Amino acid sequence: MRLAGQVKDLWERNQDKMENRIHEWIAPIKSNKNIIPAARKAFHQWQPLRAYTNTTKLMKGGEVVFSLRFHGQEVADIKVTKGKNPVLCVSKRQNINNQKLGAPAIPDKVNWDSNKAKEFRDYFKKNDGEIKTHSPEHAIETDLINEMRKTSSVKKFGGSFSDIQPVLYAGCPIQIPTPLIWDGKQPVPSEKGGNMDIVARRLVKGKRVRLSVWELKKRGASAAEIEKAIYQSIVYASTLRMMLRSENCGYDWYRFFGFNGKAVPAKLEIEAVPTIAIGQKHIFEKKIASFKDDLTIGKDQLILCVAYYDKDLKIDFKEIQCG
């Protein structure tokens, strides 16, 4: 099938467009490397609400924009302007979605330390565990990121899986965008783009660090959804490889992902990780049994893996031979 090769060919046929988009995403981070972390320190976040960063809307004019999420579902933005109080901003669409969760409506903008903002935060705190978000996969994503962030190998994933940390920016989870997506049949460019669910750094034998791209599927996912996760994870990992190989901004992305080398290495190893509930393991094994692909691109190697998670978020992680 040569999925990785298809991504490479597609990228090269649309190279100017691809390069421009990934440069647009990384440029604000590079040029505001001190401003954005300082903006994050300007406000306190209260559980269970968490601030995320999103490269596609991180900087707007002189504002730094953080996405505020409840178990992965976006409920508001926090906008920070130097010298001013942080502001809680709830769009019309967000208010409509929040009211489905029972949350109080918020005017367009209120100060983060205002009574209205406190009332908003308190609702989610008091009703955590009772509110059901619209996307189970977003909730799982949040839970997995929280486990990855733990520093104790005994506590991380209940001691079942360690040596992994999510890629964060300014101490926040960040959605890594991708200009290519899987449309169900093949990789294609997308004007809207997609997002990699989780990008993490994983320590492997020889003290090498691999980037690990996790594509999540909810408990009870169908066979079609599980099969899609295989293709999505490979397409996103392949796209990440192209981002790192960009002559214009590949090194900027390399540094963003936490590496300190003077250049992008001659050989990259990137993991593509469909992330499946343990109850669907038999479905994944059936789908993967007939899956064959060459995931080598020049000196670079994509490694197909699978992460099975159970109700206690213990992880069974395996590499898949598909050559």
Side-chain angles (χ1 to χ4, degrees):
M1 178 172 285
R2 293 289 296 160
L3 260 181
Q6 289 180 40
V7 167
K8 180 177 182 292
D9 292 344
L10 185 60
W11 187 285
E12 290 174 348
R13 291 199 304 271
N14 298 272
Q15 186 150 1
D16 288 347
K17 192 172 186 178
M18 298 294 102
E19 294 284 344
N20 287 339
R21 291 190 75 183
I22 65 171
H23 180 264
E24 287 173 0
W25 293 331
I26 196 65
I29 292 175
K30 183 181 179 182
S31 60
N32 295 282
K33 62 181 180 181
N34 296 322
I35 294 173
I36 295 169
R40 172 58 195 89
K41 293 177 182 178
F43 63 91
H44 181 77
Q45 65 176 357
W46 283 269
Q47 296 281 15
L49 298 178
R50 302 288 299 183
Y52 277 59
T53 47
N54 185 326
T55 60
T56 59
K57 67 174 186 180
L58 190 52
M59 294 293 299
K60 288 188 176 180
E63 295 178 327
V64 182
V65 183
F66 297 89
S67 171
L68 189 66
R69 302 191 181 191
F70 174 74
H71 294 291
Q73 180 169 327
E74 185 174 74
V75 295
D77 289 333
I78 300 175
K79 297 182 179 180
V80 182
T81 304
K82 187 176 181 180
K84 297 183 179 180
N85 288 330
V87 175
L88 176 69
C89 300
V90 185
S91 68
K92 182 178 180 180
R93 177 186 59 81
Q94 289 168 340
N95 258 323
I96 291 171
N97 290 336
N98 293 347
Q99 287 173 34
K100 293 176 182 177
L101 305 178
I106 293 290
D108 183 36
K109 295 181 181 180
V110 296
N111 284 345
W112 181 241
D113 58 1
S114 68
N115 288 334
K116 276 285 185 184
K118 183 177 185 300
E119 178 187 357
F120 184 77
R121 296 192 301 266
D122 284 349
Y123 174 80
F124 289 100
K125 181 178 180 180
K126 290 175 182 177
N127 295 283
D128 189 20
E130 303 297 325
I131 304 171
K132 290 186 178 180
T133 58
H134 74 260
S135 173
E137 285 168 358
H138 286 166
I140 294 165
E141 174 188 321
T142 298
D143 291 341
L144 291 176
I145 289 173
N146 288 340
E147 288 296 317
M148 288 182 181
R149 293 182 73 165
K150 292 179 179 178
T151 55
S152 168
S153 60
V154 175
K155 295 181 179 179
K156 192 189 295 274
F157 295 109
S160 64
F161 184 59
S162 59
D163 294 329
I164 191 167
Q165 282 288 329
V167 171
L168 306 174
Y169 184 63
C172 300
I174 184 165
Q175 283 192 312
I176 306 300
T178 168
L180 301 178
I181 62 171
W182 174 256
D183 74 348
K185 296 181 180 179
Q186 61 189 353
V188 295
S190 170
E191 288 297 326
K192 184 179 178 181
N195 287 293
M196 304 176 199
D197 287 339
I198 299 175
V199 178
R201 291 164 49 91
R202 195 171 80 86
L203 185 66
V204 298
K205 290 180 179 179
K207 296 186 176 180
R208 293 174 292 116
V209 175
R210 290 176 180 166
L211 287 177
S212 194
V213 180
W214 290 41
E215 178 62 31
L216 315 181
K217 292 302 170 188
K218 64 185 178 182
R219 296 177 179 89
S222 67
E225 289 174 315
I226 289 171
E227 183 175 38
K228 182 179 179 181
I230 299 171
Y231 294 101
Q232 283 179 309
S233 65
I234 294 172
V235 168
Y236 289 162
S238 303
T239 303
L240 183 59
R241 182 252 175 198
M242 297 304 300
M243 293 165 67
L244 291 167
R245 287 292 176 219
S246 165
E247 292 183 1
N248 296 324
C249 58
Y251 183 66
D252 295 331
W253 282 104
Y254 180 69
R255 291 298 301 270
F256 172 79
F257 288 124
F259 298 102
N260 296 316
K262 294 182 179 180
V264 179
K267 179 180 180 180
L268 293 170
E269 293 182 342
I270 301 174
E271 294 176 339
V273 189
T275 308
I276 311 295
I278 193 70
Q280 275 71 50
K281 181 177 180 178
H282 64 290
I283 300 175
F284 178 83
E285 289 180 338
K286 185 176 180 179
K287 292 294 182 182
I288 207 66
S290 59
F291 181 83
K292 300 295 179 185
D293 202 355
D294 181 359
L295 300 180
T296 303
I297 317 172
K299 293 182 179 180
D300 298 333
Q301 182 68 51
L302 304 183
I303 301 99
L304 181 61
C305 307
V306 62
Y308 300 112
Y309 62 91
D310 68 11
K311 61 182 179 61
D312 299 316
L313 290 181
K314 290 186 177 180
I315 294 289
D316 182 11
F317 189 94
K318 301 179 185 296
E319 289 190 17
I320 305 293
Q321 301 300 319
C322 62

